[in-house]
């Protein structure tokens, strides 16, 4: 008997659940069996599945699928925190988006989740001074998903971008952990400055559809920005702001606005 048995394989409950859902989906909809097998069941880990999906969606005549796959595989192999962040983003989407009923949905169908994972690979490239490849991925994410996140921007874990159409996040922007935002959100600058010029979004912030946050201002943790607002000044923690320009209209309404996802002033969701 060996005195040095092989260590047990790491358990990934998120990936195990995705595989189980894919098996059930294959039985329920055989016409999509090829999709479920090639995108999920064929792979041994979430990282491999993410790299495959990314290469399939972002490849082009200028960047063949195999090369894109090698770039993504290298990133996930080099930095395990990319996969950790993907798990957190996936669980966040499942918990906060009422249309998400299975873990496999963001991985296969939700462009907000997929765009953020591609940004993370682009950011990995940027941090290693491979800026042209990072810009290329930014370009393809914008073309394919309608989401434009500069690869130098810094984003935390547990990010949920619902619908994810016309999202713009600038070069010096930072986004904390457990942030939720809806479509047409802009985290932008106010001119042609070359230094720190984009917003700093705290943990647990909820940003409504069409909101614009402009300039190097701070949005405090667990605050709410109402849909259609234009935020030009700092937002204190745990407040709700609304209007053009945005003004404080009340408290945040709960401890974790980005998780509760209540966009109504005064009161709790049904």
């Amino acid at each position: 008997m060996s005195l040095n048995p092989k260590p047990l394989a790491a358990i990934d409950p998120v990936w195990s659940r995705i595989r189980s859902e894919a098996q059930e989906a294959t039985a329920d909809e055989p016409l999509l069996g090829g999709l479920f097998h090639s995108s999920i069941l064929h792979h041994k880990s979430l990282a491999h599945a993410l790299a495959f999906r990314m290469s399939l969606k972002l490849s082009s005549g200028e960047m063949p699928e195999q090369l894109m796959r090698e770039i993504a595989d290298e990133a996930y192999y080099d930095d395990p925190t990319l996969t950790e962040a993907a798990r957190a983003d996936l669980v966040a989407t499942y918990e906060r988006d009422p249309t998400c009923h299975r873990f496999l949905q963001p991985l296969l169908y939700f462009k907000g989740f997929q765009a953020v994972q591609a940004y993370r690979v682009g950011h990995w490239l940027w941090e290693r001074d491979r800026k042209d490849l990072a810009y290329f991925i930014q370009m393809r994410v914008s073309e394919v998903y309608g989401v434009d996140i500069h690869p130098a921007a810094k984003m935390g874990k547990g990010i949920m971008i619902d619908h994810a159409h016309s999202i713009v996040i600038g070069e010096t922007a930072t986004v904390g952990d457990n942030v939720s935002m809806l479509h047409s959100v802009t985290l932008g600058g106010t001119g042609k400055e070359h230094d720190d010029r984009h917003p700093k979004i705290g943990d647990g912030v909820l940003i409504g559809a069409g909101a614009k946050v402009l300039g190097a201002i701070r949005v405090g943790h667990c605050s709410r920005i109402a849909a259609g607002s234009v935020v030009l000044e700092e937002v204190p923690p745990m407040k709700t702001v609304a209007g053009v320009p945005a003004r404080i209209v009340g408290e945040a309404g709960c401890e974790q606005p980005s998780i509760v996802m209540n966009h109504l002033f005064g009161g709790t969701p049904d």
Side-chain angles (χ1 to χ4, degrees), residues 3-4 39 47-49 67 87 93 95 109 113 144-146 148 158 162-163 166 179 185 188 192 204 214 228:
L3 296 178
N4 297 299
S39 298
H48 285 86
L67 285 179
R87 289 192 193 93
T93 302
E95 291 179 342
Y109 309 131
F113 172 81
V144 172
Y145 297 119
D148 195 345
D162 196 12
H163 300 296
S166 298
V179 169
V185 164
K192 296 185 66 176
L214 305 178

Side-chain angles (χ1 to χ4, degrees), residues 206-224:
L206 172 60
I207 307 177
K212 316 300 178 188
V213 187
L214 305 178
I217 59 176
R218 295 191 177 276
V219 175
H221 68 272
C222 298
S223 58
R224 292 191 304 176

Side-chain angles (χ1 to χ4, degrees), residues 156-169:
K157 296 185 291 187
I159 304 297
M160 195 275 283
I161 305 182
D162 196 12
H163 300 296
H165 183 72
S166 298
I167 297 290
V168 177
I169 299 177

Side-chain angles (χ1 to χ4, degrees), residues 247-258:
R247 295 289 184 262
I248 296 174
V249 297
E251 302 299 319
C254 64
E255 292 185 357
Q256 296 289 334
S258 66

Side-chain angles (χ1 to χ4, degrees), residues 29-109:
E29 186 51 86
L31 290 178
L32 287 177
L35 169 66
F36 299 131
H37 275 276
S38 64
S39 298
I40 296 174
L41 297 174
H42 179 71
H43 305 287
K44 62 182 181 180
S45 70
L46 178 58
H48 285 86
L50 288 166
F52 172 81
R53 194 69 179 159
M54 195 177 305
S55 65
L56 188 69
K57 300 296 288 186
L58 300 185
S59 60
S60 68
E62 298 172 312
M63 177 66 70
E65 184 179 330
Q66 182 60 37
L67 285 179
M68 184 65 72
R69 176 75 177 274
E70 290 176 3
I71 293 167
D73 278 335
E74 181 186 359
Y76 285 115
Y77 179 82
D78 177 73
D79 188 355
T81 65
L82 296 177
T83 311
E84 294 172 10
R87 289 192 193 93
D89 297 342
L90 193 152
V91 173
T93 302
Y94 175 79
E95 291 179 342
R96 302 174 205 168
D97 187 344
T99 69
C100 186
H101 308 293
R102 295 171 296 169
F103 277 27
L104 66 74
Q105 284 176 261
L107 178 60
L108 295 183
Y109 309 131

